[in-house]
Amino acid sequence: MDTAIQELVKNEEVNREKGKNRKYSENVKKFAFTLFYYSPRVYKYLRTVLTLPAPRTIQTWLENIDCEPGFLTNVFDILAKEQMPFSLVIDSMAIRKRLIVNRYNSTIKGFVDLGADDNAPEQREATEALVFLLVSVTKRLRYPVGYFFVDQIEADVQVELITQCLEMAQQKSIDIVNITCDGCRANVSTLTKLGASLPLNPSIKHPSSDTNVSSILTSWFLMRLYLFCMKDFHFRCLLLLTPYTCSSFAAMHLPLCVSLSRRLA
């Protein structure tokens, strides 16, 4: 019999007749976490058949996990067991300005927060969430290893965060072979300060070893840049009263760019 099924059967034997003070094994907790994450509705139905923790109990367990802004050391510990190369993906997403009171530790969330190592947190409301993601090069695996609340991130700060991430990965023997990001001004400036010379020499020196780490700009950004250039070129052609030449050029190269971007994505 499968180990997971044995754990569920044993859990039924121990907790079925108990109304309170039920104790769950680690495997049952992981099963409940995973199932509740994928579908709370299915989890609610299975609770009518199996003796599983209440949704509020799961939320209480999750609140005890350290997920404060910064680098997630527990994820690095998990990745230390994986013997595979990773790509460090850096991206930021816009968030709404909002201040929230955390009733568990009486703190206000929503300001710029660079993690536990930030000695002087700024009292500015965050407008973006900067996310660090490790993506396996050989398998379909993605692990978030850190996030930060920022407001128009500066290149110098981003350099320090990338350097810290590479050093933490090196301490856990995690092989990071490249850094992937879009080509906005802050990211290009960051890669330049790390030692890359785009586009001729995109490699940077690893801060903790003698190896080089390549840098890659995402294909969708290059595609967007291409379309922007074509749009501007078409406008210039209109001024010269020769739009047909530009339209033919764009129609000829656009399918090739779309195909290339899909292959690289």
Side-chain angles (χ1 to χ4, degrees):
M1 186 180 296
D2 187 73
T3 305
I5 298 179
Q6 292 179 354
E7 287 284 345
L8 291 175
V9 172
K10 184 179 179 180
N11 177 69
E12 290 297 312
E13 295 174 353
V14 174
N15 294 322
R16 189 66 178 178
E17 302 300 329
K18 291 183 179 179
K20 296 182 179 180
N21 299 324
R22 292 173 177 170
K23 300 203 179 284
Y24 301 96
S25 64
E26 290 298 323
N27 290 331
V28 173
K29 289 181 179 180
K30 292 179 181 179
F31 173 78
F33 282 144
T34 306
L35 184 60
F36 184 76
Y37 171 77
Y38 280 108
S39 178
R41 183 176 297 181
V42 173
Y43 183 82
K44 183 179 179 180
Y45 171 76
L46 279 183
R47 287 196 71 235
T48 63
V49 181
L50 301 175
T51 307
L52 296 173
R56 181 54 192 163
T57 303
I58 295 178
Q59 293 174 2
T60 302
W61 290 339
L62 292 176
E63 288 168 356
N64 295 325
I65 300 177
D66 183 15
C67 289
E68 291 294 317
F71 288 109
L72 308 176
T73 56
N74 53 340
V75 179
F76 280 99
D77 294 335
I78 296 174
L79 292 180
K81 304 174 184 179
E82 303 286 348
Q83 300 296 326
M84 65 182 71
F86 287 94
S87 173
L88 175 60
V89 179
I90 304 170
D91 198 7
S92 60
M93 60 191 74
I95 59 176
R96 184 191 305 174
K97 284 187 176 183
R98 185 180 180 185
L99 299 180
I100 301 176
V101 178
N102 189 334
R103 59 189 178 90
Y104 293 99
N105 52 15
S106 300
T107 58
I108 300 178
K109 299 296 183 180
F111 293 113
V112 172
D113 193 344
L114 298 178
D117 297 332
D118 188 15
N119 296 324
E122 301 181 41
Q123 295 301 311
R124 288 186 298 160
E125 293 185 51
T127 59
E128 294 179 330
L130 181 64
V131 180
F132 282 62
L133 196 72
L134 285 185
V135 180
S136 173
V137 177
T138 57
K139 297 183 180 180
R140 297 177 62 88
L141 297 176
R142 298 181 180 88
Y143 298 90
V145 295
Y147 74 97
F148 309 88
F149 293 126
V150 299
D151 179 25
Q152 297 179 352
I153 186 68
E154 298 178 356
D156 292 334
V157 177
Q158 201 162 233
V159 167
E160 295 180 4
L161 294 177
I162 293 176
T163 302
Q164 184 179 354
C165 182
L166 293 176
E167 291 176 346
M168 293 178 65
Q170 181 67 21
Q171 293 174 0
K172 299 294 182 179
S173 300
I174 300 173
D175 185 19
I176 297 179
V177 296
N178 69 69
I179 300 174
T180 303
C181 59
D182 61 30
C184 66
R185 181 179 300 178
N187 290 339
V188 173
S189 179
T190 298
L191 295 176
T192 302
K193 292 186 177 184
L194 285 171
S197 179
L198 299 174
L200 299 179
N201 184 18
S203 298
I204 66 173
K205 186 73 173 178
H206 197 289
S208 302
S209 65
D210 296 330
T211 60
N212 290 330
V213 181
S214 63
S215 57
I216 301 176
L217 300 181
T218 53
S219 58
W220 67 266
F221 178 84
L222 297 178
M223 182 64 188
R224 186 176 66 178
L225 182 62
Y226 174 85
L227 294 177
F228 178 79
C229 292
M230 286 299 98
K231 180 180 178 181
D232 182 66
F233 184 50
H234 185 266
F235 177 73
R236 292 174 182 272
C237 289
L238 286 177
L239 295 180
L240 297 175
L241 300 179
T242 56
Y244 177 78
T245 303
C246 175
S247 300
S248 301
F249 181 82
M252 179 178 63
H253 289 80
L254 187 57
L256 178 62
C257 262
V258 171
S259 176
L260 181 60
S261 64
R262 288 177 177 174
R263 289 178 179 271
L264 295 177

